[in-house]
Amino acid sequence: TGSSRPQRLLKAVQRNAAKGDPQSVISAIDYFCRHSEWAMNVGDEKGSILDSVVSEVSPTTALELGTYCGYSTVRIARLLPPGASLITLEFNPDYAAVARQVIAHSGLQDKIHLVEGPSGDSIPKLKERFGITSLDFVFLDHWKDRYVPDTKLLEECGLLRKGSVLLADNVICPGAPEYLDYVRNNPRYESRYFQSHLEYTNVEDGLEKSVFLG
Ligand SMILES: O=C(NCc1cccc(CNc2ccc3[nH]ncc3c2)c1)c1cc(-c2ccc(F)cc2)cc(O)c1O
Ligand SMILES: [Mg+2]
């Protein structure tokens, strides 16, 4: 049996990116996905929007749902202020194994906690496990039908506070219609759509930014 796409992506990072240089890891993955094999990283176009939102929020505590190969994990972590940390949840153990090595190559492992398992199990344990009171920023990029249940779970677990920012990938492609309905028609959220394109293509996609109003 041969290698998987995430394993080939990891090889491209190890060959082409400088150890300890997050930007070169990001560039190596984008190059691989444009010139060798498409992969479901948020990509450079939506990634620039992600960067601007993370820089604006400057979170002390951030959560990512859906690590995959660690591309957006590195994008977020490289912009965190000193002492801040990113918790990233990944259900698929093969993805998690690749992500750990991509993250190690970037040199940002001290800012990142990768937790393996389903979000439904991990979210209720975040407070006790990481000693956090609330989340400043959440990036949703896992199974699209989990965006609504997990947002409700974050609310129920008291992990959102007035001003917490949720940023959701793929609200157009593959699409998260129930999520858009939930955050856009809910008085407890102020939502805004950032139009873009599906990673490495010219298919329409975008990010939805939603501020929790408390
Ligand atoms: O579906 C997507 N991503 C989610 C995903 C997908 C597969 C496996 C996992 C396993 N990881 C996982 C699961 C459950 C979890 N619970 N908590 C953590 C956690 C982690 C996650 C996706 C698809 C496309 C896409 C594909 C094809 C196409 F034509 C157009 C577009 C583009 C994207 O940017 C995407 O993000
Ligand atoms: Mg995505």
Side-chain angles (χ1 to χ4, degrees), residues 133-148:
T133 49
S134 65
L135 296 165
D136 304 312
F137 177 79
V138 182
F139 182 54
L140 296 90
D141 193 22
H142 59 331
W143 287 332
K144 310 314 162 192
D145 62 2
R146 289 294 314 174
Y147 284 17
V148 172

Side-chain angles (χ1 to χ4, degrees), residues 193-214:
Y193 175 62
F194 291 80
Q195 183 168 19
S196 185
H197 294 94
L198 176 68
E199 47 268 29
Y200 318 115
T201 77
N202 53 20
V203 171
E204 183 181 345
D205 190 19
L207 302 169
E208 186 83 358
K209 177 190 174 190
S210 305
V211 182
F212 186 64
L213 302 174

Side-chain angles (χ1 to χ4, degrees), residues 167-189:
L167 188 65
D169 190 24
N170 312 114
V171 295
I172 303 301
C173 178
E178 304 86 356
Y179 179 75
L180 287 182
D181 190 55
Y182 182 71
V183 291
R184 291 177 175 175
N185 301 309
N186 186 331
R188 300 182 78 186
Y189 291 93

Side-chain angles (χ1 to χ4, degrees), residues 5-204:
R5 181 168 307 185
Q7 286 169 327
R8 294 190 293 272
L9 181 151
L10 171 61
K11 281 281 169 292
V13 167
Q14 293 169 332
R15 280 192 198 113
N16 303 313
K19 268 186 87 55
D21 178 352
Q23 189 54 55
S24 75
V25 168
I26 292 163
S27 300
I29 294 173
D30 286 330
Y31 188 90
F32 174 80
C33 292
R34 281 194 183 285
H35 300 283
S36 300
E37 300 183 64
W38 186 93
M40 61 179 179
N41 318 115
V42 74
D44 46 355
E45 189 180 318
K46 288 186 289 179
S48 296
I49 300 166
L50 170 62
D51 289 356
S52 62
V53 175
V54 172
S55 299
E56 173 201 355
V57 175
S58 193
T60 300
T61 310
L63 173 68
E64 176 180 58
L65 303 177
T67 315
Y68 189 41
C69 295
Y71 174 90
S72 48
T73 319
V74 167
R75 279 203 88 112
I76 295 165
R78 86 193 201 285
L79 298 175
L80 293 178
S85 61
L86 170 63
I87 301 162
T88 183
L89 309 186
E90 180 49 59
F91 172 74
N92 182 307
D94 300 323
Y95 294 171
V98 164
R100 289 188 197 284
Q101 296 172 81
V102 167
I103 290 162
H105 199 91
S106 78
L108 292 168
Q109 64 283 350
D110 295 347
K111 295 173 176 288
I112 296 162
H113 300 284
L114 197 163
V115 178
E116 287 185 44
S119 48
D121 297 354
S122 305
I123 288 172
K125 298 172 184 164
L126 292 178
K127 285 195 171 188
E128 64 179 322
R129 184 159 180 187
F130 295 101
I132 55 178
T133 49
S134 65
L135 296 165
D136 304 312
F137 177 79
V138 182
F139 182 54
L140 296 90
D141 193 22
H142 59 331
W143 287 332
K144 310 314 162 192
D145 62 2
R146 289 294 314 174
Y147 284 17
V148 172
D150 285 344
T151 299
K152 289 179 174 175
L153 189 55
L154 289 168
E155 291 171 23
E156 286 152 16
C157 294
L159 283 161
L160 302 183
R161 47 100 177 145
K162 186 173 168 45
S164 291
V165 172
L166 306 185
L167 188 65
D169 190 24
N170 312 114
V171 295
I172 303 301
C173 178
E178 304 86 356
Y179 179 75
L180 287 182
D181 190 55
Y182 182 71
V183 291
R184 291 177 175 175
N185 301 309
N186 186 331
R188 300 182 78 186
Y189 291 93
E190 184 61 44
S191 269
R192 180 186 162 192
Y193 175 62
F194 291 80
Q195 183 168 19
S196 185
H197 294 94
L198 176 68
E199 47 268 29
Y200 318 115
T201 77
N202 53 20
V203 171
E204 183 181 345

